[in-house]
Every structure is written in structure tokens, then in C-alpha cells.
Amino acid sequence: MTTRFNRRSMLRGLLGGSAVCMGIPALDIFLDGNGQAWADGAKLPVRFGTYFWGLGLTDTPTGGTRWVPTKHGAGYEITPELQSLAALKDKVSVFSGFRAIGDGKPNLVHWSGHASILSGSAPGVTGSFDAPSFDTRIADAIGGATRFKSLEISPSGKALSYSTRTGRAFATPETTPVSLYERVYGEGFQDPNNPNWKPDSKVMLRQSVLSAVADQRQALMADVGRADQIKLDQYFTSLREMENQLEIQLQQPEKCEACIVPKPPGEGKKSASIDVVNSNTKVMARLLAMSLACNQTRVFNCVHTPGSSETYIAGDSKIYHQYTHDEPTDAKLGYQPMSSKLAGMVMQGFGEFLAEMDAIKEGDGTLLDHMLVMGFSDTGYAKIHSLENIPVILAGGANGKHKAGQHIATKGESVTRISLTAQQIMGAPVGEFGVGAMKTSRPITEVMA
Amino acid sequence: MKRSLIKLAAATVSALSFCDTASAEWSKTYVVEWNEPAMYYGAKAGVIDPGTDCPKGSNPEVDWVSVLSKGGYTEAEAKWLRNPANPSRSAVHGQNQMAFRGADKANVYIHPETTPDPGLVGVSGDIAEGINLDGDASTGFVSPNGEKGIDNTFYKTLGCWKTYRGPPRLSSGSLTMNDAMREGSWTIVVVVSGKGSDPMNDSNVDVGFYMSGDKLVKDGNGQIAHDYTFSIKPDAKFEALFKGKSSNGVITSKTAADEVWLRDPSYTRELQLLRARVSLQMLPDGSLKGYVGGYRPWKPIYQGWVDARGPVIEALTWVQLPSVYYALKRTADYSPTGAGGEKTHISFAERIEAVPAFVMTPDASKPATTVKSYKSLVKPEAAAPATRFGVIDGLVPDPKVPFGEALRVYPVPETVASATPARAGGGN
């Protein structure tokens, strides 16, 4: 069906002798026949996110795995520690047997694993990466048209993120639902579906101030030495990003059919106990999902619990981290029972996170269908800080680019193959990823459409 | 002084006897793919189950609230110190305040004798793996295959400690350490050579353990790959040379080596062995398996655990570290200065498993086919850091909580103090 209106059309008329106009909400006629794009060909945006949880999943040397499915390919069975993903199994691919390769560098416990996944390089020092995390590359590719290039959240309450452009300074996450709400829906937020949208005069003033000092900024750069130029460059990069945000905010935003501005959350608890962390994860996931639907950002990074997770079951004096190290393998069960129980509880957080993404209808599917989430941990067998068999999961359809619902199993291949796969699914212009023994140009084509 | 000169002369003779004066008739070379203290596991299943070695199983989990209460803390303070919500308890480095439970709140890690011996339960069985170090079949253990006189007091003393106990390759300590080695932290190569025509039965066999700067390589199954090439990296310390003989493929020492050093798969890192011997079997599949034994100093064993962060080791391995100190001191069975001297060393055996590898000389110009010392080729290197994590006195400093002041900085909250009932039993 054709129409003389499109998604940017305004309904115009006269009222009391004055011209008036009204925006039109997003209608199905503005979508293409498949519900995958606007009718004028512009696609529904695809989003990307990373989701990290600490301490791996249970896989013991005597073969007591609690997460690796036995079936390879499509139709894998749901194992005990993947129970929380059962309802979304067809939208989730599981990767087993992949490892981080140290290339002679020592295993920096609770650090080398995820640093390798994100940066492609085994780090030399705890607390830093030897290269930027690849989510920043994706953010540069797809995050320029939104108010936030990326959003970082940390439901455990720790101010911790593994997203970094320099390897030294990491992004600052929102650590509570309230702070996330205020960041996204507080000052500067503009409802994309507001029919009475007007440029914010405060934003215009800020933009004009930055523009006014542009000449002086250039003069200053010319006057200072190299070290100061580096500092100024980092500072002005931040300013440029702010300018970009302001520019975006001065343009009328695209309407987003799925966007419904949420109500502010209540003041939640701040605690490391798993019930509180998971509760915060669910609330923050809901806010984040709507932030994505409202096109405030297209990239996010979530750290559910840090690598050396201090989460615990309320009332227990032992933390999860301690259980992974000191709990013996049960002779009859073949695995560590409390560690496995906690792993399942941690994965419950991930399951609920994905469910919130999948709860938002968008186009002919859900928000999760139009995104790719890479979930991963820092270690395989946490008891010995093993870098073998680090669990990695890809969830979401990525607008049809991810052939989800498969279990891909290898024996010792580099985790960077999955990182490369994620980047290529997202359309980042990257042909290879990683350094040294982890350098690869082989994405996992089985999961790529 | 005289004894030192004699020792020096013996070491010189020993090194000279390993000079490359003639090539060997045969040689076999390997890379170590697993090494751990030789600890016989006497249970039928599991890793901590009761068995003939430890009838009550591995040492039980410690009731830290009780320990801290005996160390001068109130029950509420003890519970608060152990509470995960207490900011002074680090998720990574543990609760530093645990150290301060000696007399006058002394740090028991560096002053273990300020607290009474908690008592470490040792092995009570008769079977042990290892080597007859003193040649006396009437003392020591019986090996699993019936050989008498096995000297392994290290096992007897620490064999019920959870970190060491378990079937081969399954104790938590050996899993952790070998995973580090197999990920490339260090590499040990072995050269075996002989002058006879039959390697399996040769009266003159030399064995050399050396370091290599080349990392271990894993195969497609995640195991250490066979037949990779490694170059010997001369080391001023880590080199172990033995003179022996082979009989039906089993190499045993003809005489004890006065002193050898190996890279220890533990937090101690350095393994000095006096009166060292080998018992190694050349297997049909080309691999090498057996023991290297001798008398090792006991204090570095204890210090290694302290330097690995006392609160972490105590909590994760279920031990009170002072008990390790007392037990090692009590059972040490060898004095380098003679029968009347202080027993500073304890009998010990390391279980070694090695796979075939190509081992080259340090300059990689030719295969290493003879056993000789390469210490003269050592190049000076920067010293390795003294301790991981910046450990001081067994603790990792917390900038917010000076040592010993956890309760001043984070006092017991009212909610914890009022909720602490009279203690009914255990729990930590």
C-alpha cells in the first residue's frame, strides 16, 4: 500500500487563521512488508551490548559440567546452569570450549579472561587492558546518532565497567536504577514521540557556547607542548562527543514506536547479596530496554558482578568467590554443589535481563530480535582460575544477522573468534581481531546469516 | 667451615662429571606436563573422603568465629569480621583482621608462636609415594607397590590438608599450580642420556632437569602437545642433575645428588632438595613418569603460604596457618649439619609426568643429547618481584583499613551486635 505520507510527515491545517501542524505517530504503514525496516528503506536500528558475570560456570576436571550441552548445533538441550535461558533458547547461542591464550603472560586471575575477550590481548597488568574493548568500536560504528554513544550499568552497585577506549580508563557505569533513570530520563531527555517537540533552548545555548570557543581551542592546542596536547585532545574528545550529543538533541528525533517513557523507579537496596543484585539487574534491564527502544543509545555494557564476584546468598558468611575455591567436588555429584547453585542464581540475572529485552514489542518482533547481546565471564573452572572453556553466549537476532539457537563447541580455540563474530554480525568493519596466538580472521560462520 | 668446603668440593666434582666430554650412546628428552607433591590418597572416591591415609577425611572446615573468639574478639566482633557485608572484608584478599589473633593481638602469620598450636591432623596410614632417601628399609612408609623405606614426612605431616589431598592430579593445590604452568607460567625440560646400548637397562644413566623459556603448547584436546621443541634456558638456581642407572626402564639414582633445585609448583616457587634422588620410569608410549625426592627446607614451605595471603589461604584451604608452622617444625626429619643439628629440612617427593619433546641446547644450535650443567651460561636478569599482590606480613594492605584496625574503622553495627545470640555450635 502506498501513501503520500511518510514517517516524517506532519498533518497540517489551519486553526483560527494560523497554520498548525501535528506529528504522526509511528504507524505500521510506515514499516516495510517484513516489519524489519521503515517503508522508506531505513532499517530498524540494531543494538549491541555486553553482559558480564563473574566466576564462570561449573565445569570440573572429572567431567562434572553443569552448563555445556552435549548436543552440538541447533536444538541443544538446556543444562542446569542455563535453565534461566530456557524460554529464550531459540534466540540464544552457546559457545563452549573456547579459551583465552596468555601468550606467555601470566594468568591475572579474574582479569585475563574477559580482558582477552574484549580487547583481543592477554593483559600485562591487572586493572588495565592492552587495547581498547571492542564494544567501543561498535559504538563508534552505530552509536553516533543517539544521545549516548553507549550506556554502562553495574547492578551489583560497584562502580565497575570493562568498556575502555584506552585500556587504562574505563567507562563510569550507573550503579543503581535511580541513577540510570536520572541519567537517561532526567535532564536532556526528549521523548521521541512527543508531537510538540521543540529544540531545548538550554541545549542551544550550550551548543553556541562551545562553538564560540572553537577558535580559541585551536589556538591553545598550537601553543602547548606534546604532553599537554595529549591531555587537551582527550578533553576535547569528550567535548566533541558532547557537541555531537547536543547536535543530536537539537534535531527532531526519530519516532520510536516501542518507546514508552518509564516511571521513575523506587530507591532500591544496595547490597552484594545475589537477591538484591538480581533485583537491581531486572529493574535496570527494564530501564535500559526502554532506553534502547527510545533510541537514547544503541550500545550498552553491563557488569552484573565483577570477576572476583563478592555476591553471596543472604545470611551466608561465605561469598560465591570463596565457595568456588574452597568447596570440594562432591564425590557423588561430580561437581561443587553450592558453587553450582550460586552459578544458577547468577545466570538467573542474565535470563531476566534478556527477558526484559524480549518483552518490548518492536516491529514484527521484539527489541531482543533487533539486538545482539554478548554474555561472558572471566574464567572457566573458577576453582583454579582456568582460562579454558570460558562460557560465552550470544543472544538476540541482530535484525536477522544472528542464526541463533545453536551450541558451538570447540576444543581450545581462541575466545577472540567469538568477539570477531559479534563485531561482524554488528557490521563493524573488522576483518581480524586479537593479537599473538589469539589473532584470528575466522569468525564463527555457523551463527552468521 | 670444613663441612662447607667438603660440600663445595663434592658439588664441583659432581658438575665436572657432567661435562660434555663425550657424547651419549642414546638420549631421550621430555617436557614436564604435570608436577605435584607425591601424596597418596587412601579413599576410594572423592577428594576429601575418609580413607586409609586420613580416617576422618581431609581436615575439616575451620570455625572462624570460634577461632577469633579464642583470639580475643567478642562473638559479635568475630561474626562482623566474617560478614560479607563488612567493608573491611575484601572479596579478593579476605579479612586482614584474621591475622591479629595472637597474644596481644599479634599477627599470627609472622609470629605463629604467639598462638597455641591448633593441631594439624596428619596422615596416619602406612602407604606413601616417594623414594627411600636414607637407604633404610626399616623406616618410613611402604609404597603402593610394596617397596619399603619410603621417606616422605612432608606427606605424613601435610597429607590430610585439603589443598594437598586428593587422587593424582585432582587436589585443589595441584590443579591450580599446574594450570598456571600449562598456561605458560614456566616450563621444565628433562634430558636423559646413557652410554649403554639398551636405554631400558643401562648402568650409566644421567638425568637433567632444566628450565626453558619456551611456553608449553596445548594440542587440540587441551592437553600438552608432544614433540614440540624447547631450548634450555640456563638458570643460576633451577637445575637438577642426577647420576643413575636404568633397569627395565626404571631410572634410579646410584648416588644422591648433594643439592639440586627445581621450580616448585607452589607459592614457595623454589624447591631446594638435599640428598636428592630420582625414580623415573620410561614408559612404552614415550613418556616419563616418577619421582624426584630429597630433603627440602621446611620454613620456605610455611612462608610460601603466608606470602600467598594468610587470610585467603586459611579461608580457602580450611587451615589455621600456625598449625602448619608447628607441624612442620615438629616433624622435620633432616639436618644438613649432622645428626645432632637442628632439623631444618623435611623428606619430600615430587611426582613428575613428562611427555616427549625436542630439547635443544641454550643456543638452539643442536639437540641436547647429554646431561651437563649450563649454569656458567647464565645471563644476569632483573630480579623477580618478591611477592605477588604486594603482600606484607601475609596481608595485602587496604588503604582504608590500616593493619589491625578493622574494628576501629568499621565497628560492629548495632544490628549485628544486638542480633548475636549465645553460640549453639559451629559455623563460620
Side-chain angles (χ1 to χ4, degrees):
Chain A
M1 175 184 176
T2 59
T3 171
R4 61 200 157 103
F5 295 101
N6 60 41
R7 59 197 171 96
R8 290 195 178 86
S9 296
M10 304 287 277
L11 295 177
R12 299 175 192 280
L14 285 172
L15 179 64
S18 300
V20 293
C21 58
M22 182 197 297
I24 310 175
L27 304 175
D28 283 350
I29 59 168
F30 298 150
L31 297 175
D32 72 358
N34 298 318
Q36 294 294 326
W38 299 116
D40 61 4
K43 290 195 171 142
L44 285 170
V46 63
R47 294 80 159 196
F48 177 76
T50 65
Y51 182 101
F52 173 89
W53 75 88
L55 299 175
L57 292 174
T58 308
D59 191 66
T60 66
T62 49
T65 187
R66 297 278 288 164
W67 74 274
V68 178
T70 52
K71 187 159 191 260
H72 298 182
Y76 63 87
E77 79 276 19
I78 285 291
T79 49
E81 285 174 10
L82 299 183
Q83 274 299 324
S84 64
L85 307 179
L88 295 170
K89 196 182 107 170
D90 293 337
K91 300 189 180 186
V92 171
S93 291
V94 176
F95 299 80
S96 69
F98 290 85
R99 67 180 177 118
I101 305 171
D103 260 347
K105 291 180 190 162
N107 178 1
L108 303 173
V109 299
H110 305 300
W111 191 259
S112 290
H114 56 287
S116 299
I117 290 170
L118 287 170
S119 71
S121 173
V125 175
T126 296
S128 66
F129 290 178
D130 285 8
S133 56
F134 78 80
D135 57 280
T136 58
R137 182 180 281 169
I138 293 177
D140 288 341
I142 66 172
T146 52
R147 189 166 147 234
F148 301 103
K149 210 171 227 186
S150 69
L151 279 173
E152 281 66 41
I153 64 172
S154 178
S156 71
K158 289 255 172 223
L160 187 61
S161 172
Y162 299 130
S163 175
T164 174
R165 288 185 177 273
T166 62
R168 299 285 183 271
F170 291 80
T172 304
E174 303 306 327
T175 58
T176 65
V178 168
S179 69
L180 176 61
Y181 182 88
E182 284 171 357
R183 177 108 190 271
V184 180
Y185 302 102
E187 185 185 339
F189 173 71
Q190 299 182 81
D191 182 350
N193 296 329
N194 182 354
N196 301 315
W197 180 87
K198 280 194 294 236
D200 187 334
S201 57
K202 280 192 267 186
V203 171
M204 289 167 77
L205 178 61
R206 283 162 78 194
Q207 192 197 39
S208 55
V209 167
L210 280 176
S211 300
V213 303
D215 287 343
Q216 291 219 313
R217 280 158 49 190
Q218 285 163 13
L220 180 58
M221 283 290 272
D223 279 351
V224 301
R226 182 72 191 132
D228 277 342
Q229 282 184 343
I230 291 173
K231 284 184 203 161
L232 282 172
D233 193 50
Q234 287 174 345
Y235 173 64
F236 289 141
T237 298
S238 308
L239 282 182
R240 275 193 289 277
E241 288 190 1
M242 194 192 311
E243 285 174 342
N244 188 49
Q245 281 188 13
L246 297 176
E247 183 64 37
I248 289 166
Q249 286 177 259
L250 286 173
Q251 296 168 20
Q252 184 168 7
E254 299 283 353
K255 294 197 191 316
C256 304
E257 68 166 73
C259 175
I260 302 170
V261 181
K263 294 194 176 77
E267 194 66 55
K269 281 191 209 173
K270 219 171 180 176
S271 164
S273 70
I274 189 64
D275 53 328
V276 173
V277 175
N278 280 352
S279 169
N280 284 340
T281 301
K282 194 175 161 85
V283 174
M284 292 176 94
R286 189 168 296 168
L287 291 171
L288 181 65
M290 202 45 79
S291 308
L292 296 163
C294 293
N295 216 25
Q296 300 303 294
T297 189
R298 290 182 187 167
V299 177
F300 66 86
N301 297 285
C302 174
V303 175
H304 173 266
T305 39
S308 54
S309 171
E310 60 192 43
T311 197
Y312 59 98
I313 296 173
D316 196 343
S317 66
K318 265 202 225 184
I319 60 176
Y320 182 18
H321 186 193
Q322 184 177 348
Y323 273 118
T324 61
H325 287 310
D326 83 349
E327 186 185 22
T329 299
D330 185 288
K332 291 197 185 78
L333 297 173
Y335 59 88
Q336 298 163 284
M338 276 305 295
S339 300
S340 182
K341 178 177 176 179
L342 277 150
M345 294 171 89
V346 164
M347 288 305 281
Q348 189 67 32
F350 188 36
E352 288 174 348
F353 181 95
L354 293 177
E356 292 295 336
M357 301 295 146
D358 202 50
I360 295 185
K361 299 292 171 214
E362 190 178 71
D364 70 342
T366 70
L367 178 64
L368 186 60
D369 296 329
H370 304 131
M371 70 195 304
L372 186 72
V373 181
M374 178 161 161
F376 58 98
S377 190
D378 61 304
T379 185
Y381 185 34
K383 192 186 206 21
I384 59 171
H385 303 122
S386 174
L387 296 178
E388 307 275 336
N389 197 20
I390 300 178
V392 183
I393 286 166
L394 287 182
N399 283 15
K401 292 263 171 55
H402 173 211
K403 282 161 64 179
Q406 301 190 64
H407 168 216
I408 307 295
T410 71
K411 280 192 174 176
E413 296 211 39
S414 171
V415 285
T416 46
R417 287 195 66 205
I418 312 171
S419 313
L420 176 66
T421 304
Q423 291 173 80
Q424 291 194 354
I425 285 175
M426 289 306 301
V430 55
E432 63 183 24
F433 182 68
V435 298
M438 287 196 286
K439 187 172 186 176
T440 184
S441 56
R442 290 193 308 128
I444 301 165
T445 53
E446 294 94 312
V447 298
M448 298 171 74
Chain B
M1 172 70 167
K2 184 177 173 186
R3 188 164 183 86
S4 299
L5 285 173
I6 291 172
K7 271 182 70 176
L8 177 60
T12 305
V13 168
S14 177
L16 284 174
S17 69
F18 284 106
C19 279
D20 190 11
T21 52
S23 57
E25 181 69 27
W26 61 270
S27 65
K28 292 176 185 287
T29 52
Y30 309 88
V31 68
V32 173
E33 63 94 9
W34 197 274
N35 51 171
E36 60 184 346
M39 312 295 258
Y40 173 76
Y41 183 67
K44 290 190 170 39
V47 291
I48 60 166
D49 293 14
T52 56
D53 54 337
C54 309
K56 292 188 179 174
S58 297
N59 52 298
E61 193 160 2
V62 179
D63 180 345
W64 289 109
V65 172
S66 170
V67 168
L68 288 169
S69 297
K70 287 178 191 153
Y73 298 90
T74 66
E75 189 175 328
E77 288 172 339
K79 286 192 169 173
W80 173 235
L81 288 172
R82 298 296 305 157
N83 192 322
N86 184 338
S88 69
R89 180 179 164 173
S90 161
V92 178
H93 303 306
Q95 172 54 269
N96 281 349
Q97 197 67 27
M98 282 172 65
F100 303 96
R101 60 184 197 259
D104 298 321
K105 292 280 184 352
N107 179 337
V108 298
Y109 302 144
I110 56 172
H111 302 295
E113 297 191 23
T114 61
T115 187
D117 180 1
L120 184 71
V121 174
V123 165
S124 57
D126 300 324
I127 301 174
E129 297 182 29
I131 298 177
N132 183 345
L133 296 174
D134 60 9
D136 187 346
S138 65
T139 60
F141 292 93
V142 177
S143 77
N145 59 8
E147 181 187 348
K148 292 181 181 172
I150 302 298
D151 299 301
N152 196 345
T153 306
F154 177 96
Y155 163 64
K156 186 174 178 64
T157 308
L158 303 178
C160 294
W161 184 4
K162 183 166 78 74
T163 192
Y164 286 115
R165 190 163 180 255
R169 303 173 82 119
L170 288 182
S171 70
S172 55
S174 76
L175 279 169
T176 301
M177 292 302 163
N178 281 277
D179 192 69
M181 180 185 77
R182 289 154 74 91
E183 287 297 333
S185 288
W186 75 90
T187 305
I188 301 172
V189 294
V190 188
V191 177
V192 179
S193 66
K195 297 203 172 48
S197 57
D198 178 9
M200 297 293 121
N201 295 283
D202 190 335
S203 57
N204 283 297
V205 176
D206 295 333
V207 182
F209 287 80
Y210 308 95
M211 298 301 290
S212 172
D214 301 308
K215 311 300 170 189
L216 289 173
V217 178
K218 290 189 182 176
D219 62 20
N221 291 315
Q223 300 305 313
I224 298 304
H226 292 207
D227 299 325
Y228 265 74
T229 302
F230 302 87
S231 293
I232 291 171
K233 183 181 176 188
D235 194 288
K237 188 166 270 184
F238 298 131
E239 186 178 272
L241 309 178
F242 300 92
K243 293 199 95 48
K245 61 182 181 189
S246 63
S247 174
N248 294 324
V250 179
I251 305 167
T252 51
S253 291
K254 286 199 291 197
T255 54
D258 279 341
E259 180 181 7
V260 302
W261 288 81
L262 289 166
R263 174 52 163 94
D264 194 32
S266 76
Y267 294 113
T268 311
R269 296 171 68 90
E270 296 181 354
L271 174 60
Q272 179 209 44
L273 289 173
L274 303 181
R275 312 280 314 139
R277 290 179 173 269
V278 293
S279 174
L280 299 164
Q281 185 174 10
M282 295 178 283
L283 293 169
D285 65 357
S287 62
L288 184 76
K289 199 170 172 179
Y291 308 101
V292 179
Y295 298 95
R296 66 180 297 178
W298 69 263
K299 278 189 182 164
I301 300 169
Y302 174 73
Q303 192 60 46
W305 289 115
V306 169
D307 289 341
R309 301 163 296 162
V312 171
I313 297 303
E314 288 194 310
L316 298 192
T317 70
W318 300 358
V319 79
Q320 294 186 59
L321 275 177
S323 69
V324 175
Y325 173 89
Y326 280 111
L328 286 169
K329 186 178 179 186
R330 185 170 55 243
T331 61
D333 56 351
Y334 180 74
S335 165
T337 57
E342 182 191 352
K343 290 191 169 45
T344 55
H345 287 60
I346 189 167
S347 52
F348 170 84
E350 186 102 305
R351 190 189 292 132
I352 300 274
E353 295 183 45
V355 295
F358 293 102
V359 177
M360 307 294 283
T361 53
D363 62 1
S365 63
K366 56 185 180 187
T369 55
T370 57
V371 174
K372 57 183 254 191
S373 176
Y374 291 98
K375 287 189 177 181
S376 62
L377 301 178
V378 173
K379 290 178 190 160
E381 270 181 12
T387 59
R388 275 177 93 198
F389 304 115
V391 172
I392 299 172
D393 295 345
L395 306 171
V396 176
D398 178 349
K400 293 188 195 145
V401 185
F403 285 167
E405 296 193 31
L407 290 171
R408 179 188 64 77
V409 178
Y410 297 108
V412 182
E414 260 314 304
T415 46
V416 172
S418 57
T420 303
R423 296 197 70 234
N428 66 345

